[in-house]
């Protein structure tokens, strides 16, 4: 595959739209999903980029199978999201997302940068005139734990970011607590859809498991045994 320069960096000419499981082929996901190349036509839109940082984690806890450690954070507005933010005018997308991650979670772009090989997808929000690029970055579990600890020292901790969390990827015995309950939090923008797409892309949950989790999240939240 040939490469071409985009915003000062090497980017594949064809960054394909990823496979979307049937249970997530809903209007809010499919309508805004576009290829990286197609998104370039909206040159008057603001650009943002975010990254799902994750690490494989085998074994089980007292509450369920661990599968992986996935980092999200509680934002200043009370919603959950991924590290990242707006790209400055004229700034390379990859450079911008690394800068935002350094500010928000103490990320070290020089030690282990997010690159175009970590790119996953792009959404376009026409109402807000915003292009949203999403990356998925794998770490070792040791690197992940070190990042969690160092995030407390990030320049935006306590301001834009109010704390990092690991996403519970299990469902507990009452069929609601764990991931189904977590999905009933408020998420910013496309963060909830990106989380579920990431779980499918990384083969952490099967399409059937994702569909089951969505069902339980929507239908069991008022059950008498949810606590």
């Amino acid at each position: 595959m040939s490469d071409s320069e985009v915003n000062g960096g090497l980017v594949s000419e064809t960054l394909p739209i990823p496979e979307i499981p049937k249970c997530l082929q809903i209007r809010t996901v499919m309508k805004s999903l576009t290829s990286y190349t197609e998104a370039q036509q909206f040159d008057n839109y603001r650009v943002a980029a975010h990254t799902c940082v994750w690490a494989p984690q085998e074994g089980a806890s007292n509450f369920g199978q661990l599968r992986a450690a996935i980092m999200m954070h509680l934002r200043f507005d009370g919603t959950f999201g991924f590290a990242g933010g707006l790209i400055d005018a004229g700034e390379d997308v990859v450079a911008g997302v690394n800068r935002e991650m350094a500010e928000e979670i103490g990320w070290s772009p020089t030690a282990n940068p997010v690159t175009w090989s970590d790119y996953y997808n792009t959404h376009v929000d026409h109402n807000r005139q915003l292009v949203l690029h999403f990356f998925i970055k794998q770490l070792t579990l040791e690197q992940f734990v070190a990042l969690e600890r160092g995030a407390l020292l990030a320049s935006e901790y306590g301001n834009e970011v109010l704390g990092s969390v690991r996403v519970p990827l299990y469902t507990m015995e009452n069929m609601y607590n764990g991931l189904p309950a977590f999905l009933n939090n408020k998420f910013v923008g496309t963060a909830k859809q990106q989380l579920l797409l990431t779980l499918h892309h990384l083969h952490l949950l099967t399409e059937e498991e994702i569909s089951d989790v969505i069902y339980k999240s929507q239908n069991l939240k008022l059950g008498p045994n949810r606590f």
Side-chain angles (χ1 to χ4, degrees), residues 53-57 66-71 141 144 166-167 169:
V53 179
W54 79 286
Q57 186 179 29
L66 293 174
R67 301 175 188 254
I70 290 181
M71 179 181 289
L141 187 57
F144 188 96
R166 294 193 192 191
V167 178
L169 299 184

Side-chain angles (χ1 to χ4, degrees), residues 156-172:
E156 287 298 334
Y157 185 85
N159 184 29
E160 287 190 26
V161 177
L162 302 183
S164 66
V165 299
R166 294 193 192 191
V167 178
L169 299 184
Y170 46 77
T171 300
M172 295 175 64

